[in-house]
Amino acid sequence: MPSLKAVRRRIASVKSTQKITRAMKLVAAAKLRRAQDDIVAARPYAHALAEAVAQVALRAGSASHPMLQRREQRRLALIVLTSDRGLCGGFNATVCRAAVRFMEEQKASGQVDEFKLFVVGRKGRDFFRRRGYTPAAQLPAAAGEAALARAKELGLSVTDDFLNDRIDGVRIVYNEFKSAVSQKVAIETLLPVDLSEFPEESLIDFTYEPSKDELLSTMMPLYLESRIHRALLESVASEFGARMTAMESATNNAKAAIERLTLEYNRARQAAITKELMEIVGGAEALNG
């Protein structure tokens, strides 16, 4: 049985850890609220832009812009969104494993010959490096206003590769935010832009100024940027939700450990007191005897 001093030291250590995990949970909860506000603020613009692009593109036809033209998907760019920090449960491992599984399945099926990897977040970078992958680009994670700059940077990179025929399509893998305790890995197609999700209603044409092609040349990069930006915001909110849940679980586990150690300490102290009493009684009997 460990000494009373050792048990007291362990209890103090666990209590100190519990304070840290409780504080991290509160910080994650506060950041999660801000991240949710960012998502809510970004959605109206993203939806309106998507509808505007779809309306012009459906009228102009898929041949009106290179980002609409479908090709045989032999070379794909894969954008993987992770975080720079850990202590958020399976948040990073889940999305990285989903990306690896997707690449392996596509290559095994013979549909894709080559993947160009764009990794956002230090945890994703470390994951792929350990497994022998060499990302084409490694970018730090970004939240808030910095997420928009990161989305523009990624959008320019993949668009340049797509328009110059270095890749045939772009996919993005990220954790989609459902709730504070629930995140779902999503794999979405960014390029070529798929218009099948938009219903072809009665397409009454308009007079355009400038032309449809010029409008699409301006709107398509903005549309791609908005989709990457939304995915970044979803990933950030998912990270804080996962961290809040993980820290709550760690705090509860620390509480259970403290209770167990306190019981162990009381038993050890009781045993020590009993032993001392027995020694006193034994000594008294020896003196009387």
Side-chain angles (χ1 to χ4, degrees), residues 103-234:
M103 290 190 288
E104 291 175 347
E105 289 173 352
Q106 293 296 310
K107 286 186 176 181
S109 67
Q111 297 178 9
V112 181
D113 298 326
E114 179 186 346
F115 278 96
K116 189 173 185 179
L117 202 56
F118 293 81
V119 180
V120 176
R122 191 175 70 248
K123 291 298 178 180
R125 178 201 66 189
D126 295 342
F127 178 93
F128 286 105
R129 279 183 176 176
R130 286 195 299 268
R131 285 155 181 79
Y133 292 91
T134 305
Q138 304 164 14
L139 304 171
E145 295 181 0
L148 187 58
R150 184 73 69 250
K152 184 174 294 187
E153 184 178 358
L154 284 167
L156 289 173
S157 295
V158 297
T159 300
D160 182 65
D161 285 342
F162 186 79
L163 295 180
N164 288 287
D165 201 29
R166 290 191 287 268
I167 56 174
D168 302 313
V170 182
R171 305 287 188 275
I172 187 167
V173 187
Y174 66 98
N175 277 301
E176 185 178 7
F177 180 78
K178 296 296 183 182
S179 69
V181 296
S182 175
Q183 301 86 35
K184 178 184 176 184
V185 175
I187 302 177
E188 297 178 355
T189 300
L190 296 181
L191 289 176
V193 175
D194 186 10
L195 299 176
S196 61
E197 57 184 283
F198 299 99
E200 293 193 32
E201 302 171 353
S202 54
L203 296 177
I204 303 172
D205 213 349
F206 302 96
T207 300
Y208 296 90
E209 183 62 38
S211 65
K212 297 174 188 175
D213 293 348
E214 289 182 74
L215 277 174
L216 285 176
S217 296
T218 301
M219 296 172 70
M220 293 301 288
L222 289 175
Y223 171 70
L224 180 63
E225 179 185 311
S226 73
R227 289 199 60 183
I228 298 174
H229 182 233
R230 183 187 64 81
L232 284 166
L233 295 180
E234 296 271 0

Side-chain angles (χ1 to χ4, degrees), residues 67-84:
M67 292 171 70
L68 294 169
Q69 295 171 4
R70 303 197 66 81
R71 312 171 188 167
E72 190 178 6
Q73 305 284 285
R74 306 304 301 180
R75 299 162 301 169
L76 290 183
L78 193 67
I79 301 174
V80 184
L81 305 185
T82 63
S83 68
D84 283 339

